[in-house]
Structures are given as C-alpha cells and as structure tokens.
Amino acid sequence: MSLMRCLAAAVWLLAFSAGRSPAAGPELGAAVKSAEGLPRLRSLLVSWRGDLILERYFNGARATTFADVKSASKSVISALTGIAIERGHLSGIGAPIGPYFPEIADARKRQITIENLLSMRSGLASTNGWNYGAWVQSPNWVRWVLSRPLRSQPGESMDYNTGNMHLLSAILTKVSGTDTWKFAQEALAGPLGFTLARWPQDPQGIYFGGNSMLLTPRHMVKFGELYLHRGRLDGRQVVPSAWVEASFVPRARSPVSGRLYGYGWWIDQMAGHTADYAWGFGGQYIFIVPDLDLVVVTTSSPNPGENRREHRIAVYDLVENLVIGRIAALY
C-alpha cells in the first residue's frame, strides 16, 4: 500500500471509530446510493479488518429481521460436515454414503462419497428446477433423492442439487446423535455467540439441508468472519482450519454459470481479487475476500419475481465494483 493510500485508510478508520460512518464518504457512499435504488434489497453489511464499517437496512428490514438465506445454507452444512469429520463422527471426506442408507440397492449409488455430495458431483439427477416442487411435496425427501437416476458417474461432473445437501443433513442426524439444528447450535452458532433459529424440516423431521436456514445479517457476518479467519474465533478453533482451506479449493465448474465450486462455497474473481462466497436464491450472499480482510453480506427478498435475475446481477455488480473495488483502492 502506498503512503498516501495508507494515510487515507487510517483517516477513514479513525472517522469510523469516532462515530462518523465512512459510508457517508466517497468510498462506500456510492454503494449505499446504489443499494437504496434496489427495491428487493434488505441489507448491506461490510466488515473490513474486523470492523463493521457499514450496516444498512432497506425496504422495512431491521437488524433483528431474520433472512431466509436460501442456498447460502449449503455453506453452513459444509461447515457442520467438517466439524463432524474432525470429531470422528464421519471417517473422512471419501466415506461412501452406502452404510448410512442401507436401503440403497444400486451399487454405484452406494459408492457416492461425502465429497461428491459437498461438491455437487453425486451424479444423481437434480432436485432443483422443475423437480423441486415434486421433491418437497413428497412424503419422504431422502428416499425421493436416492431414487433419482444417475445422470453421470459419481465424481464425474457437477449438477447443482439441493438434494445432495439434504442427504448430508440426514447423515449428520444419524452420526451426531442429535438433529442438525441442535448440532449446528452446539457446534457453530453457540461459539459464534448467537442462537440459531429453527428452520423447516422434512416429513421425517430432518432439518432441510442446503436451504431455508434463518439468519440475521449480523449472524451472516459472524459466519463470514469465521471463515475469513480460517475457522478461528477469539482463540477458539470452531471449524478446522484445514477444512476451511479445502472448502475454498475449486472442485467443479457450474455448466450453467461457469463459476467454480468448492465444498458448499462458490469461488470467483471479483475486482481482481479471489472471492469465496455463499450464494442463496434471490440475492442472499456472504462474500469473503481474504487478501483484503473483507466480508460483505447482502440479503434480499427471497420471493420469486420477474426482476429477480436482474436484481441478483445488480447486487453482484454493486458488491464487486462499489465495495470490493473501492476497498481495494485503499491498498
């Protein structure tokens, strides 16, 4: 960082600590102005170097408003899987799912691994898109997922599939001796200092894996900061550091968006920096930019709408150009 930029950053942070929000200045002011013009946006939070330098709520949302984070839940399920492996509940990332589901008759399906589920390479036909309604209205979600045909060999190619994460929630329920919500509260939310709200369950009582978790934007920032610091918080290793690093290694590429995917996390280049992010339907995001010591969170209306896709693109561009790009300019 040049001397002038270093001084500018120091002045900026001093203004923040004195109670004068830097969002009113030129650095993030444009981001706030742009956010105010998005009717579906509910929150925009920026944590830089451990300080929450921007926290704004829009269109009736408040700090205490729970957001349905949709598929950003997959990143939480990934964290719980890493913790379960560390505790010895699971033998490892290469463990096949067959022993957890003895009802599987197809030998190829029995060889699907924990890693295949996390990286969306199970080979099972997806529960998403046109199949989603039939899946969540079925009397047994796990059985419905396992009954799907294999479209490719396990580990061969990526097909985004929320059913994969629901199988992981079912496995976590079996191996942890409790349900996914209680396990998540004890192993993750509790150490982060908040109580995790209950989210929907399937007809068998298994908490929805990979969708519909309820978090406040501040909870999302806490989770993002945990991963930014390689799973460590206040001197305590909550998520194994090796797991965090492994989660950010690209394992597959989406055939739809072309973006890279790790273990429940997307990976992209944003404003010239690597960003790892949790991504939920409608514009629920937790962006982590390690080399800028930066976490950015957005929440939006989770409801379908004609302009949903345009909104998501607008949020992504806002974060890339008006937050990440502006913070990078201070270095």
Side-chain angles (χ1 to χ4, degrees):
M1 182 188 295
S2 69
L3 177 60
M4 291 303 295
R5 285 181 175 177
C6 184
L7 289 172
V11 169
W12 201 54
L13 285 172
L14 283 172
F16 171 73
S17 64
R20 298 188 299 276
S21 171
E27 289 81 6
L28 295 184
V32 173
K33 184 176 181 180
S34 178
E36 290 172 342
L38 299 176
R40 295 181 64 90
L41 193 66
R42 297 295 180 264
S43 70
L44 172 62
L45 285 74
V46 179
S47 172
W48 185 39
R49 297 177 173 173
D51 288 316
L52 190 60
I53 61 171
L54 175 63
E55 182 177 20
R56 291 293 182 92
Y57 298 91
F58 310 95
N59 302 302
R62 300 176 181 272
T64 55
T65 302
F66 281 98
D68 179 345
V69 300
K70 294 298 185 179
S71 284
S73 308
K74 293 175 172 63
S75 304
V76 179
I77 292 293
S78 173
L80 296 176
T81 303
I83 294 170
I85 291 173
E86 176 75 8
R87 293 185 177 184
H89 297 323
L90 294 169
S91 61
I93 199 72
I97 68 171
Y100 304 110
F101 303 108
E103 65 271 27
I104 302 177
D106 188 323
R108 294 177 302 164
K109 291 182 181 179
R110 293 184 64 82
Q111 293 306 309
I112 294 169
T113 65
I114 299 295
E115 182 177 33
N116 296 155
L117 296 179
L118 283 165
S119 59
M120 298 295 171
R121 294 178 298 164
S122 69
L124 292 168
S126 180
T127 59
N128 290 56
W130 294 107
N131 297 320
Y132 189 83
W135 175 41
V136 297
Q137 293 176 39
S138 70
N140 189 311
W141 294 8
V142 168
R143 185 170 60 201
W144 202 93
V145 174
L146 293 174
S147 70
R148 303 295 293 156
L150 280 171
R151 298 299 191 195
S152 61
Q153 289 299 313
E156 186 174 271
S157 60
M158 180 180 180
D159 188 5
Y160 193 78
N161 186 350
T162 299
N164 290 341
M165 293 293 181
H166 194 64
L167 293 182
L168 282 171
S169 183
I171 291 170
L172 290 171
T173 301
K174 291 172 182 284
V175 302
S176 68
T178 186
D179 59 51
T180 305
W181 171 72
K182 289 179 182 176
F183 183 53
Q185 178 58 41
E186 177 270 320
L188 194 60
L192 291 179
F194 62 85
T195 299
L196 187 64
R198 293 180 183 268
W199 69 96
Q201 298 166 270
D202 73 7
Q204 283 65 50
I206 297 167
Y207 279 89
F208 203 165
N211 202 356
S212 295
M213 285 187 177
L214 300 171
L215 299 168
T216 69
R218 289 179 182 175
H219 295 163
M220 296 165 73
V221 169
K222 278 282 191 182
F223 183 60
E225 288 178 337
L226 179 70
Y227 264 69
L228 178 67
H229 297 121
R230 292 300 185 263
R232 194 170 185 83
L233 179 72
D234 298 331
R236 177 179 179 180
Q237 196 71 44
V238 179
V239 178
S241 60
W243 183 259
V244 174
E245 293 170 7
S247 297
F248 293 162
V249 173
R251 311 284 172 174
R253 184 182 296 276
S254 168
V256 178
S257 68
R259 292 173 183 164
L260 298 170
Y261 199 70
Y263 292 159
W265 291 85
W266 295 91
I267 302 115
D268 201 4
Q269 291 294 308
M270 301 181 70
H273 298 267
T274 298
D276 310 292
Y277 59 98
W279 175 9
F281 178 93
Q284 331 304 323
Y285 285 111
I286 305 172
F287 294 95
I288 300 167
V289 189
D291 63 348
L292 297 180
D293 202 3
L294 180 67
V295 174
V296 184
V297 162
T298 70
T299 60
S300 304
S301 168
N303 300 322
E306 292 183 357
N307 65 340
R308 176 186 58 80
R309 183 174 182 275
E310 290 76 7
H311 170 78
R312 174 179 57 76
I313 294 171
V315 170
Y316 199 88
D317 289 346
L318 183 161
V319 171
E320 179 173 17
N321 299 311
L322 301 182
V323 178
I324 297 175
R326 298 298 175 90
I327 295 293
L330 295 172
Y331 278 76

